[in-house]
Amino acid sequence: MKKTLIIANWKMNPSNTTQAKVLFDEVAKVLKDVKKAKVVICPPFPYLSIINNQLSLIKLGAQDCFWEESGSFTGEISLSMLKDLGCKYVIIGHSERRQFLNETDRMVNKKIKAALIKNIRPIFCFGESKKDKDQGKTQNVLKKQLENGLRKIIKSDVKKIIFAYEPLWAIGSGKPCSPEEANVIRLFIKKIITQKYSRPIANEIKILYGGSVNSSNVKSFIQQGSFQGVLVGGVSLKPKEFIKLVKNI
Ligand code: PEP
């Protein structure tokens, strides 16, 4: 049975290590042997080392990385460092980084390639803004983000990428995309991958939805929307609600 992938993005929360440990332990003690889902928790960098997931099915992910291996890059974190801390996944190109830190498609592409080299699975985030959507530009914007993000990535590697469609207007707004609308986008993503690679590859890749997912709507994205998983922000900080979400898939 293929497991549904649930990625928890804690963003810049909670505010200290004690709270981070409490949050993780609360979730892990219930979800440590959950069968239907694969849960990946992506805490802020300083908490990666205090979250001990050795005996759990919960996997660890980071929220960003840098593409260089080492050197004079003040403030950056390499993939080797993330690997050393037990990260199996890394979120790349989240809209908040694109918006607040001017992260470009080119940088996203470099980070994805560096993660693939280190065998850490990239969670490649992309999505359109409200303005793009209102102007009918959604597909053009997504096509550009996908093509630029996947530049010079070969067939055998693209299968390792987890694609996360996150419409900006749905993130943190409490107004998710409808599963029907999200499914149209999922099929569009597959079309782009088919054109760039092949149909078998498009059928193999994992595509997630993210944006105001909660315990009541998660099932609709997996069942009606046919997504292979979800990326969860706000709800991942509420242990009871997050556990309910994972159990409701
Ligand atoms: C996100 O930021 O990736 C996200 C999906 O957030 P939220 O679930 O809060 O909309």
Side-chain angles (χ1 to χ4, degrees):
M1 182 182 70
K2 282 246 162 80
K3 290 192 179 191
T4 301
L5 197 52
I6 299 183
I7 316 275
N9 177 13
W10 287 3
K11 311 194 184 189
M12 201 169 71
N13 301 291
S15 43
N16 59 55
T17 46
T18 310
Q19 287 172 14
K21 198 150 179 12
V22 168
L23 174 59
F24 178 77
D25 288 346
E26 230 179 296
V27 170
K29 74 171 183 262
V30 180
L31 298 180
K32 65 180 184 334
D33 47 12
V34 63
K35 299 279 182 312
K36 266 165 73 183
K38 184 183 270 184
V39 178
V40 179
I41 294 191
C42 304
F45 293 129
Y47 305 151
L48 285 168
S49 61
I50 61 130
I51 291 177
N52 179 356
N53 74 335
Q54 298 299 315
L55 300 173
S56 165
L57 289 180
I58 293 181
K59 301 287 176 219
L60 209 50
Q63 296 175 18
D64 184 37
C65 61
F66 193 57
W67 54 83
E68 294 290 348
E69 208 13 59
S70 64
S72 305
F73 303 103
T74 304
E76 295 299 339
I77 312 261
S78 77
L79 284 140
S80 301
M81 293 171 190
L82 296 180
K83 200 166 188 159
D84 186 48
L85 292 172
C87 287
K88 300 268 187 280
Y89 298 81
V90 59
I91 296 174
I92 296 178
H94 191 280
S95 62
E96 286 151 13
R97 296 197 61 81
R98 293 181 189 254
Q99 187 185 347
F100 301 123
L101 295 147
N102 293 331
E103 195 155 298
T104 62
D105 286 347
R106 196 160 164 264
M107 290 157 81
V108 169
N109 174 249
K110 284 173 142 192
K111 291 180 180 190
I112 294 176
K113 287 194 282 203
L116 289 166
I117 289 171
K118 282 282 173 246
N119 227 358
I120 295 187
R121 289 192 76 171
I123 301 160
F124 172 21
C125 299
F126 52 90
E128 82 286 2
S129 68
K130 172 89 171 66
K131 191 170 164 212
D132 298 329
K133 181 175 158 66
D134 291 346
Q135 293 179 346
K137 292 184 183 159
T138 298
Q139 296 202 348
N140 283 347
V141 168
L142 299 182
K143 186 169 190 278
K144 188 163 162 277
Q145 288 178 349
L146 282 164
E147 286 178 351
N148 290 343
L150 295 174
R151 271 198 71 206
K152 298 198 176 158
I153 292 177
I154 56 170
K155 275 186 181 181
S156 54
D157 275 346
V158 76
K159 292 188 267 187
K160 299 175 196 154
I161 299 173
I162 294 156
F163 292 78
Y165 169 57
E166 296 211 294
L168 272 61
W169 47 271
I171 295 181
S173 66
K175 294 187 186 113
C177 187
S178 74
E180 295 79 14
E181 202 181 331
N183 193 30
V184 171
I185 300 294
R186 191 186 63 83
L187 295 172
F188 177 71
I189 297 164
K190 287 182 76 155
K191 187 173 141 196
I192 302 286
I193 302 298
T194 303
Q195 284 165 354
K196 191 168 162 59
Y197 297 95
S198 69
R199 186 172 293 278
I201 288 183
N203 287 337
E204 227 181 292
I205 57 162
K206 282 194 188 328
I207 308 178
L208 315 186
Y209 167 78
S212 296
V213 176
N214 58 37
S215 62
S216 316
N217 63 24
V218 64
K219 213 179 201 143
S220 62
F221 291 104
I222 308 301
Q223 295 190 352
Q224 280 157 263
S226 305
F227 284 88
Q228 280 87 30
V230 287
L231 208 156
V232 185
V235 166
S236 70
L237 298 169
K238 300 175 188 154
K240 285 195 180 63
E241 175 70 4
F242 184 67
I243 289 164
K244 209 166 144 196
L245 183 155
V246 175
K247 290 187 168 174
N248 273 0
I249 55 171

